[in-house]
Amino acid sequence: MKTIGIIGGGQLGLMIAEEAQKLGVHTITLDPAPDAPAFAVCDRCIVAAYDDAVALEQLCRQCDAVTYEFENVPGEVLVPLVEKYNIPQGYSPLYDSQDRLREKDNARAHGFATPDYRAVDDERGLHEALVEVGYPCVLKTRTLGYDGHGQAVLRSEVDVANALSLLTVPCILERFVDFDYEVSLVMVSDGVRIVTFPVGRNVHRDGILDLCFVSAEGLSPDLEARMRQAGEDFMRGCGYVGILAVELFVKGDSFYFNEMAPRPHNSGHWTIEGCTTNQYRELVRFLVGEPLEEPQIVAPTVMKNILGRDLEAARVIEAEGHEGVYVHLYGKRESRPRRKMGHITFVGSTAAEFAARWAGRFS
């Protein structure tokens, strides 16, 4: 029986471990939190910091293959491990995704359209970049930003003063895209073949993903096909293997690269019940060398992200036991209003049906 190691024991690690278990694959998870969600289902756990070189070496020695569900693993620790152990995705996609400037340069070099952008290191550089990029625009820290953190929208000179606090670290200034909607493209490559999941349409609330709708309303078959082709060309051009999620802004008949993640993606949770296979299962298949399965949508599906403020409503819905409604709670002990606590998948539900029947159940 094969064993895979997972660096990171959050909800993504939990769902990787669950799918591995179904495929008869053992898992060992490393996470600094002794109550990490993945520890509830993995076969063995290692409680250690992500930069603990000794613990990471221990993980790798015990596994046939290792992956990561957390993209901020320090490179100086991971690079030597990639050279010694089987970490099939390698370090390249992780490295590229850890810096928004490097990420944008890479996307543009491999065929994706991007918003106009400039590197910004200080206040003077910000004012120079503003002349070139123009208003409205978004100032973002180049590293460690997520769920709306580490960024500020600048619509005029009035907003600049409030954004200067971000300049304690290197930043990037991007032209604001007045997009119609955002979508996610999730792909898994074994180096020869790429399987791509149906494109989901994302809705954010307070900078955090709230809903994902599949099929994506308003997305034409031609536009989806062009997105899929661009994503596959990007993976091949970069030499990436394993799993990759790419967020795209859609404006009319055009789309623009926003960001990428070399791990399962929050917007792909819907694939567990709404698809013939799911992002976690295909990642595990890749890791253990099994053939990939082409995903097909089962029915129109809505995924609702459950934050702490939604937790009680989710528990009530779970107790009601509705057909086609799948409640996933991650087992996190501490609930906070904006913390991701679970998700609910509504299979067989369109955006309009969700709005009419379910939206009012949440705060």
Side-chain angles (χ1 to χ4, degrees), residues 23-65:
L23 293 172
V25 176
H26 281 166
T27 53
I28 306 174
T29 304
L30 181 147
D31 195 276
D35 59 350
F39 288 173
V41 295
C42 68
D43 296 282
R44 279 174 282 170
C45 58
I46 298 173
V47 180
Y50 297 123
D51 61 355
D52 186 328
V54 174
L56 286 167
E57 187 105 18
Q58 176 189 352
L59 173 74
C60 293
R61 280 200 307 267
Q62 298 179 65
C63 297
D64 297 293

Side-chain angles (χ1 to χ4, degrees), residues 259-277:
E259 60 185 24
M260 71 179 213
R263 54 162 174 77
H265 201 256
N266 194 5
S267 64
H269 294 337
W270 73 273
T271 60
I272 297 173
E273 290 90 18
C275 219
T276 52
T277 186

Side-chain angles (χ1 to χ4, degrees), residues 231-250:
E232 293 176 11
D233 290 346
F234 178 67
M235 283 198 84
R236 289 193 173 97
C238 294
Y240 295 159
V241 293
I243 191 165
L244 186 75
V246 178
E247 293 180 357
L248 302 170
F249 292 139
V250 180

Side-chain angles (χ1 to χ4, degrees), residues 41 69 171 221:
V41 295
E69 63 106 59
C171 290

Side-chain angles (χ1 to χ4, degrees), residues 214-236:
V214 187
S215 300
E217 182 181 350
L219 182 65
S220 69
D222 173 69
L223 186 55
E224 179 167 0
R226 287 195 286 120
M227 288 176 177
R228 285 171 171 253
Q229 189 61 58
E232 293 176 11
D233 290 346
F234 178 67
M235 283 198 84
R236 289 193 173 97

Side-chain angles (χ1 to χ4, degrees), residues 120-123 139 141 163-171:
V120 174
D121 294 322
D122 51 32
E123 185 174 353
L139 183 67
T141 57
L164 294 179
S165 60
L166 294 176
L167 293 174
T168 55
V169 296
C171 290

